[in-house]
Amino acid sequence: MPDPINSSAKEAPACPGPQPHQSGPTRFKVPRGAVDTHAHVIGLPPDYPFMPGRSYTPPEATARDYIAMLDATGMTYGVLTQVSVHGTDNRLMADTLRAHRQRLRGIAVIPLDCPEKERAALKEAGVVGLRINVLYGGGIGFEQVESYASLCREMGWHLQFLVDARQLPELASRLSKLPVPFLIDHMGHFPTTSGIENEGFRTLMSLVRDGAWVRLSGAYRNTVEGPPYRDTIPFAHNLVAAAPDRCVWGSDWPHVANWGVMMGVSDLLDLLADWVPDSTLRNRILVDNPQRLFGFPPVP
């Protein structure tokens, strides 16, 4: 798999789409009110142009297919994250949110000079946070994180970071001072061969203990062994132990920039049974925690 940090923007290799048919886990029943906190919808040019500096070229991932995935896997709610290949063009994501106001929330990517009217429209559509992506071309970098945090505080939003945990030691002091809640994606998005004693993972653990949120996701991105991703289990166990009330789960559908085995969402949910064996705690991570962070109403 190409290194997302060093991929040439000119190459932008094509990546495959997800499995066409999805299903729920076989090892536990998804609880009512569960939230898949991370997925993407993707349009195609010319209606939805791709960024020239992107790291990959994905197939289309329609709103209809996304909702079908949520239904098939038993998810009550979903959170869409603006995909990097569309840059700061949030139109498709925002339109999908508007079409499913009660069911979806969104994480946008915007320039700092985004007009107030546009920010208000995103919030009205269901956007509850912004993403800073320092790994894949087309995202917004870390240079102006404090300014983005101030913007989030003004809007009542939180920040999410797609960052390799090995970069965290040099970033931690800035992150710890942010005036808004923030989340680290994909358990730090770094290879399991680095180990739980790696300085970057230790820094991630420290941030999480001190109040950061973390997404239990991206096993196929972090694994070195491959399916069924058992080498990711110690990392999840440590993060859950550090902050059981600030862990959430995400499918990362449609699994862009994945040139390896294309798993189903059911495989990732079954892995969650190993990451979080206790059913009460697992329900907290699937239901209570994300409902609180993303502002979903409890299900009667």
Side-chain angles (χ1 to χ4, degrees):
M1 172 178 172
D3 181 344
I5 297 178
N6 299 315
S7 291
S8 168
K10 296 180 180 179
E11 296 175 1
C15 61
Q19 291 185 5
H21 303 291
Q22 302 289 343
S23 61
T26 62
R27 299 180 60 187
F28 66 92
K29 181 177 175 58
V30 173
R32 281 174 54 80
V35 186
D36 178 353
T37 71
H38 188 73
H40 312 283
V41 286
I42 304 168
L44 295 179
D47 293 336
Y48 299 98
F50 287 157
M51 292 290 290
R54 66 190 182 277
S55 299
Y56 59 89
T57 300
E60 186 177 32
T62 68
R64 172 179 285 187
D65 289 340
Y66 168 60
I67 294 298
M69 182 278 292
L70 292 180
D71 290 342
T73 55
M75 292 291 153
T76 304
Y77 298 120
V79 180
L80 282 174
T81 299
Q82 171 70 355
V83 68
S84 64
V85 296
H86 288 323
T88 58
D89 179 2
N90 295 275
R91 288 177 299 141
L92 179 59
M93 182 195 69
D95 287 346
T96 305
L97 298 181
R98 292 188 185 100
H100 303 275
R101 289 182 182 274
Q102 302 304 311
R103 190 173 191 183
L104 303 182
R105 298 289 185 269
I107 304 298
V109 176
I110 63 173
L112 276 176
D113 61 358
C114 181
E116 183 179 352
K117 183 177 179 180
E118 184 176 334
R119 286 187 275 123
L122 288 170
K123 184 169 183 175
E124 187 273 337
V127 166
V128 295
L130 297 179
R131 190 186 211 197
I132 291 181
N133 171 358
V134 300
L135 293 185
Y136 289 92
I140 296 292
F142 201 89
E143 294 79 8
Q144 296 172 306
V145 63
E146 289 84 4
S147 297
Y148 275 103
S150 295
L151 182 58
C152 282
R153 182 171 56 181
E154 175 187 339
M155 298 297 297
W157 291 345
H158 67 269
L159 273 174
Q160 298 194 5
F161 296 97
L162 179 59
V163 60
D164 187 311
R166 292 169 294 185
Q167 298 171 284
L168 287 176
E170 64 189 73
L171 302 175
S173 63
R174 295 173 68 186
L175 289 173
S176 64
K177 297 172 185 174
L178 295 180
V180 294
F182 68 91
L183 177 148
I184 304 295
D185 213 355
H186 299 328
M187 301 195 297
H189 198 294
F190 78 126
T192 56
T193 47
S194 296
I196 59 175
E197 295 303 321
N198 175 269
E199 182 184 4
F201 188 72
R202 293 202 311 269
T203 302
L204 173 59
M205 288 284 292
S206 177
L207 288 168
V208 169
R209 289 192 193 98
D210 288 343
W213 291 72
V214 66
R215 181 173 286 117
L216 306 180
S217 60
Y220 63 98
R221 302 191 185 280
N222 300 355
T223 188
V224 174
E225 295 180 2
Y229 316 117
R230 295 194 61 81
D231 53 331
T232 65
I233 294 174
F235 297 86
H237 284 178
N238 276 270
L239 290 168
V240 172
D245 291 324
R246 290 188 302 279
C247 290
V248 295
W249 178 86
S251 69
D252 197 23
W253 183 94
H255 318 304
V256 297
N258 173 27
W259 289 271
V261 174
M262 184 55 71
M263 78 308 298
V265 175
S266 60
D267 299 310
L268 301 174
L269 281 165
D270 279 336
L271 178 62
L272 183 61
D274 290 318
W275 283 356
V276 191
D278 179 80
S279 61
T280 300
L281 181 52
R282 189 168 60 240
N283 287 358
R284 192 188 314 174
I285 289 167
L286 284 170
V287 179
D288 302 328
N289 295 354
Q291 286 186 4
R292 189 170 81 253
L293 180 62
F294 295 97
F296 289 108
V299 175

